[in-house]
Amino acid sequence: MKLFYFCTLAIFLPAVFFSCGSTPKEQPAAQGHLEDSYEADSSQAVTITLPPKKEKTFFSGIPEEAVAAVEDGSPQSLNQAYSLLRKGSETFEENEKILINIAQAFMSILWKQETSPFQTFEISSPNPYTGAVESARRGIYDESTGGKDFLTLVLPSLVLVTSDTRSDYYPKSLSSLSEALNLRPDSVVANYLLGMLYSRMEEYEKALPYFQKAFDSSHDTVETCCSLAECHFKLKNYDTSLTLAQSVLEKNPFFTPAIKLCAENSFALKKLEESEAFVGRVLQQEPENSYYVLFRAKILAEKGDYIRAASLLDVYALSNPDNREYLVLRTKVQKDWNKNMTAACTTIEKALSLYPEDTEILLTAAALAGETGARINGMTAGEIAQKILSKDGSNVDALKIQVNDFVSRKKWEEAYKTSSVLIKMKKIPQECIYTHIDICLSYGKKSEAWELASSVYEKNPKDENALQTYIKVLVATDRRTEALQLIEENLSGASSKMKSFFYYERSFLQTSENSVMVDLRSSLTANPRNKDALFRLYQIYFNKKEYRKAQYYLKQVVAISPADENLLQLNTELEKLLSK
């Protein structure tokens, strides 16, 4: 048995060694050959860049161009996205249904003038996209979306279009929309919504570039064009706004918001006939729109058609007698047409009691007080103007009224200081320069008056106001020869108003009392309501102690300015002298 075992082992071992490979002496050579082979391959190796691993998103599996088109959000892009998503069969994955619903929401909420081909789907599973849209439709800004992608950042801000009752979400909306635009700077929907947000915040300068970008990318969309036009209107770019609004009407002649914009812009540009025509088109579509009933009355009053304006005001008063614009317009009609200053003062006092801080009403009251010399709610024109200036020191209209108030009360130092501030401002009315020249003459600043008057006259010698001011300064600075020459050159062909002025100024250059009286009477023949000529005749007769004749002329001045406290005081003193 043992012999059999050893014989078997002797036969088996050589086969084992053979099957395992070479002998120990042969192995080093084989190893060296493998190392040489490895080194050769290593020297020829090329680095292969592997594509980055894509993060799986909610819309993974949907063509990227379809998602991108929805994120752009313009009507054209949304239609493109829908075409890409439609299939031969009517079977859609859940995330495709949600994306189509988002596209439909953009169409139905933002672009209402577009025809929407989208079908909508019932979504059973909760998701941030559907939730944000539904919240926006209910007027709620959904802060629970997480803002994980472009659409969850943008969708909550659809509430800007569906509701205007809240503003507490504005900071969050601003942050989210700005982040969305960092992801997709050219997105129409993100630019449009950020423009809407800035408009709600009344920051129209900031809104403009976003509306402009949305319009540039989608200029055939009614809403992008109208929103850009409205933003330009708020910025007082009336020509641009009107052009944009008219371009909408060329394609959509019955689109009411564009008609309204055309009416507002035309009125601001003093195109009263065009404005009235647009207002008429609005009232054809909305006959019960009281704002445009009042707007039409405003246009008619501006045109001087007071009879029709008053009729419309009577109609409007039946439904809204306390409206601020109505009260302002009623005051204007009572003052300019009825010449009923008492009624005008009563109306504006009611307006002040209802809207004590309203700038337009304060300005209307101040102007009326300045024109009539009356007190409104116990305040002079200057005191009312000061209420405006305490909040806005650069309000040109309020400064003008305050200057005129100082002038009427002969407070020349205050008038000069305030007027000096006013004339340094940009785009002030030319009349402010003429008033400042008059103040300089009364305050003893004749050199300044001469420099200003010379400059104004040199620039426009044919302008009546410039000519009047220049002659007035020539007379006041004793440049007699030049003053007489200009008066004689212009007197023969002048209008009645200018003739009255020329005779009045020439009276200061006469050397005899008789010549002075002749010129003053000639001035009143040309214009019987020339206050300056009437008042000078009063002064002449008063100084001569001919009080009865003095009273005759003073009463005519009082009749022109019945509420002027200075004139009333002079008349009272004169009556005392006559009663002695």
Side-chain angles (χ1 to χ4, degrees):
M1 186 68 180
K2 288 182 179 180
L3 179 62
F4 175 79
Y5 175 79
F6 281 110
C7 288
T8 303
L9 184 62
I11 295 168
F12 178 73
L13 283 174
V16 172
F17 279 108
F18 179 78
S19 67
C20 289
S22 61
T23 62
K25 289 182 180 180
E26 293 174 327
Q27 290 176 1
Q31 289 174 357
H33 175 74
L34 289 172
E35 288 172 3
D36 291 342
S37 175
Y38 177 80
E39 287 175 3
D41 290 340
S42 177
S43 66
Q44 299 177 13
V46 176
T47 303
I48 299 174
T49 303
L50 296 175
K53 185 177 180 180
K54 289 188 177 180
E55 182 180 349
K56 189 172 182 180
T57 67
F58 187 86
F59 298 110
S60 293
I62 299 176
E64 290 183 4
E65 57 267 34
V67 178
V70 173
E71 290 177 347
D72 179 79
S74 70
Q76 301 83 0
S77 295
L78 295 172
N79 284 322
Q80 179 190 3
Y82 189 60
S83 297
L84 290 168
L85 290 168
R86 277 188 308 188
K87 298 179 179 179
S89 65
E90 296 188 1
T91 303
F92 292 93
E93 299 296 331
E94 186 80 353
N95 60 354
E96 289 176 319
K97 293 179 181 178
I98 291 170
L99 191 61
I100 291 173
N101 282 2
I102 292 171
Q104 193 278 335
F106 284 156
M107 276 291 202
S108 62
I109 293 174
L110 298 178
W111 322 127
K112 293 183 179 180
Q113 297 305 304
E114 299 291 329
T115 302
S116 174
F118 304 111
Q119 65 182 110
T120 55
F121 299 93
E122 290 291 333
I123 305 298
S124 56
S125 59
N127 65 87
Y129 309 96
T130 302
V133 170
E134 292 308 312
S135 293
R137 290 188 191 278
R138 297 197 306 271
I140 300 169
Y141 184 91
D142 189 348
E143 297 189 32
S144 66
T145 63
K148 294 180 179 180
D149 59 16
F150 177 86
L151 290 172
T152 51
L153 288 166
V154 166
L155 288 172
S157 292
L158 288 175
V159 71
L160 288 163
V161 183
T162 61
S163 174
D164 59 2
T165 58
R166 293 176 58 183
S167 60
D168 55 320
Y169 64 87
Y170 287 177
K172 178 64 178 175
S173 178
L174 178 60
S175 174
S176 295
L177 289 172
S178 299
E179 189 176 343
L181 279 173
N182 286 334
L183 297 173
R184 289 189 59 85
D186 295 328
S187 167
V188 171
V189 66
N191 278 290
Y192 183 76
L193 287 172
L194 193 49
M196 287 284 293
L197 176 60
Y198 277 124
S199 290
R200 285 288 184 80
M201 296 163 69
E202 298 184 357
E203 296 185 34
Y204 301 108
E205 289 283 0
K206 292 182 178 179
L208 186 62
Y210 295 104
F211 280 139
Q212 185 68 56
K213 195 157 189 177
F215 172 74
D216 289 343
S217 299
S218 189
H219 54 80
D220 288 330
T221 304
V222 169
E223 287 82 2
T224 60
C225 190
C226 260
S227 294
L228 180 61
E230 188 169 355
C231 191
H232 275 295
F233 174 74
K234 294 292 186 181
L235 292 170
K236 300 184 178 180
N237 302 327
Y238 301 125
D239 283 311
T240 303
S241 181
L242 180 60
T243 300
L244 287 165
Q246 286 175 324
S247 72
V248 172
L249 292 181
E250 289 174 5
K251 300 173 185 176
N252 303 270
F254 299 105
F255 188 56
T256 307
I259 299 173
K260 291 176 178 179
L261 268 175
C262 286
E264 297 282 2
N265 282 297
S266 297
F267 183 80
L269 292 167
K270 306 298 181 185
K271 298 179 179 180
L272 300 180
E273 295 294 339
E274 292 180 26
S275 182
E276 186 179 3
F278 284 121
V279 169
R281 288 171 64 179
V282 174
L283 290 172
Q284 284 177 352
Q285 296 182 35
E286 303 174 4
E288 302 302 319
N289 190 322
S290 60
Y291 173 84
Y292 281 89
V293 171
L294 187 61
F295 195 174
R296 191 171 201 170
K298 187 193 300 185
I299 295 169
L300 292 169
E302 199 71 21
K303 290 168 63 177
D305 190 348
Y306 290 113
I307 295 176
R308 292 169 65 201
S311 297
L312 286 173
L313 288 175
D314 290 340
V315 171
Y316 184 87
L318 295 174
S319 59
N320 201 354
D322 293 338
N323 176 271
R324 56 175 297 283
E325 290 190 27
Y326 161 76
L327 292 168
V328 170
L329 189 54
R330 175 65 82 183
T331 300
K332 175 180 173 61
V333 170
Q334 288 171 331
K335 176 175 75 72
D336 295 340
W337 181 45
N338 303 111
K339 306 298 181 185
N340 189 339
M341 300 304 179
T342 302
C345 289
T346 300
T347 302
I348 203 63
E349 284 180 342
K350 177 182 178 181
L352 274 176
S353 65
L354 292 170
Y355 311 97
E357 301 301 322
D358 187 279
T359 298
E360 184 182 8
I361 289 173
L362 286 167
L363 282 172
T364 303
L368 183 61
E371 187 174 340
T372 62
R375 289 176 177 267
I376 306 292
N377 279 359
M379 295 181 288
T380 65
E383 289 168 343
I384 299 171
Q386 185 56 44
K387 289 191 70 174
I388 301 168
L389 293 171
S390 63
K391 297 183 291 184
D392 178 12
S394 60
N395 188 299
V396 171
D397 291 324
L399 284 168
K400 280 171 52 183
I401 291 169
Q402 192 172 64
V403 167
N404 291 333
D405 183 62
F406 286 138
V407 169
S408 69
R409 292 187 285 146
K410 296 180 170 52
K411 293 191 172 185
W412 302 116
E413 183 176 357
E414 292 90 336
Y416 177 77
K417 287 179 180 177
T418 307
S419 183
S420 296
V421 172
L422 179 59
I423 63 169
K424 291 175 183 175
M425 293 182 172
K426 295 179 180 178
K427 298 181 180 180
I428 60 165
Q430 190 68 18
E431 66 189 75
C432 297
I433 304 295
Y434 299 137
T435 301
H436 187 73
I437 292 170
D438 289 340
I439 292 168
C440 287
L441 292 176
S442 298
Y443 191 48
K445 302 277 187 178
K446 291 187 177 181
S447 296
E448 185 176 343
W450 171 247
E451 289 176 9
L452 283 171
S454 300
S455 174
V456 168
Y457 178 68
E458 185 178 346
K459 291 175 183 175
N460 197 357
K462 299 297 183 183
D463 182 78
E464 285 189 355
N465 291 318
L467 178 60
Q468 281 189 10
T469 300
Y470 187 59
I471 289 174
K472 200 183 298 182
V473 175
L474 287 173
V475 171
T477 56
D478 205 28
R479 291 174 166 86
R480 301 173 61 84
T481 303
E482 189 178 351
L484 280 170
Q485 183 179 344
L486 265 179
I487 290 172
E488 296 303 327
E489 285 176 359
N490 291 278
L491 185 57
S492 60
S495 64
S496 295
K497 180 182 175 183
M498 286 298 288
K499 278 184 179 179
S500 181
F501 167 78
F502 288 140
Y503 284 126
Y504 173 73
E505 289 298 329
R506 195 173 73 175
S507 72
F508 289 98
L509 303 174
Q510 301 292 4
T511 55
S512 69
E513 182 181 292
N514 185 58
S515 298
V516 171
M517 300 297 282
V518 168
D519 274 346
L520 288 174
R521 291 192 178 101
S522 296
S523 175
L524 290 174
T525 300
N527 177 17
R529 292 177 64 83
N530 186 324
K531 279 178 62 178
D532 293 328
L534 288 167
F535 191 74
R536 189 164 184 223
L537 282 166
Y538 150 75
Q539 287 177 315
I540 290 171
Y541 283 117
F542 185 87
N543 290 335
K544 293 170 65 174
K545 297 186 178 180
E546 296 183 28
Y547 299 133
R548 190 64 61 186
K549 290 182 179 180
Q551 186 185 48
Y552 171 78
Y553 290 105
L554 181 60
K555 280 189 174 182
Q556 291 185 65
V557 181
V558 171
I560 295 170
S561 301
D564 189 311
E565 293 180 355
N566 290 325
L567 293 175
L568 293 173
Q569 180 63 32
L570 290 174
N571 192 52
T572 300
E573 292 173 0
L574 187 55
E575 286 180 348
K576 288 179 181 178
L577 290 172
L578 287 168
S579 64
K580 288 182 180 180

